[in-house]
Amino acid sequence: KYPTFEKLAANVIAKDSGNWFSTFIINRGQKDGVLPGMNVIADSGLVGIVTEVGPNYSKVRSIIDDANNVSSMVPTTGDNFNVSGDLKSMNESMVITFSGLRDAQNQVKVGDPVITSYVSDQYHQGILIGHIRTIEDGANNLTKVGTIKLPISTNTRISTK
């Protein structure tokens, strides 16, 4: 799905102790040209970002990790907002959360795709994050919040930025 990105295949060789892969180690590192900040993708979309690199391994912080924030957009409307990792939501409903969506015309709908935004300085533009699962007015009644259902794939690649 991402033919314009230069990619390098990698295998997960270790993970954190939780039920989810919020952070994990892959078998590619500096000797393979991997650098901190590189995007990790799968055929179905964004997996995470490389945070640390050793000679033969790299640590990846996945999209579901509580510390992860991604500038995102709905491609059909161009609306930008923030997607946050949320391990609690993953445990309960297999989703992550979003906030700050300014959808004054109520054009964004459940099922709409969510991709990485051109606003991001960490992620390539246009990588699928998932699809809107729920959407509701935020506490300030100016923006919307909700959840995103993630796509699932076992075919993971590192994408250079």
Side-chain angles (χ1 to χ4, degrees), residues 61-132:
R61 183 179 64 232
S62 77
I63 186 93
I64 66 171
D65 188 83
D66 291 340
N68 212 358
N69 289 300
V70 182
S71 296
S72 309
M73 66 183 286
V74 175
T76 55
T77 66
D79 288 300
N80 287 290
F81 53 96
N82 187 56
V83 171
S84 301
D86 190 336
L87 288 173
K88 181 179 178 195
S89 293
M90 279 299 295
N91 279 327
E92 294 172 358
S93 307
M94 300 287 294
V95 295
I96 58 175
T97 59
F98 71 86
S99 61
L101 172 63
R102 295 182 185 273
D103 181 28
Q105 315 287 323
N106 292 318
Q107 294 177 327
V108 176
K109 304 291 182 214
V110 169
D112 282 350
V114 176
I115 62 172
T116 51
S117 171
Y118 62 89
V119 176
S120 178
D121 62 350
Q122 291 187 315
Y123 295 96
H124 292 291
Q125 179 182 352
I127 302 172
L128 180 67
I129 295 171
H131 294 85
I132 302 273

Side-chain angles (χ1 to χ4, degrees), residues 7-50:
K7 294 174 278 298
L8 172 69
N11 292 311
V12 175
I13 57 173
K15 71 176 219 55
D16 58 348
S17 61
N19 289 338
W20 299 102
F21 284 73
S22 60
T23 59
F24 55 92
I25 307 294
I26 56 175
N27 67 338
R28 301 290 187 189
Q30 289 171 333
K31 290 182 179 178
D32 302 297
V34 178
L35 299 169
M38 287 185 167
N39 297 180
V40 178
I41 61 174
D43 288 339
S44 56
L46 184 63
V47 173
I49 193 164
V50 174

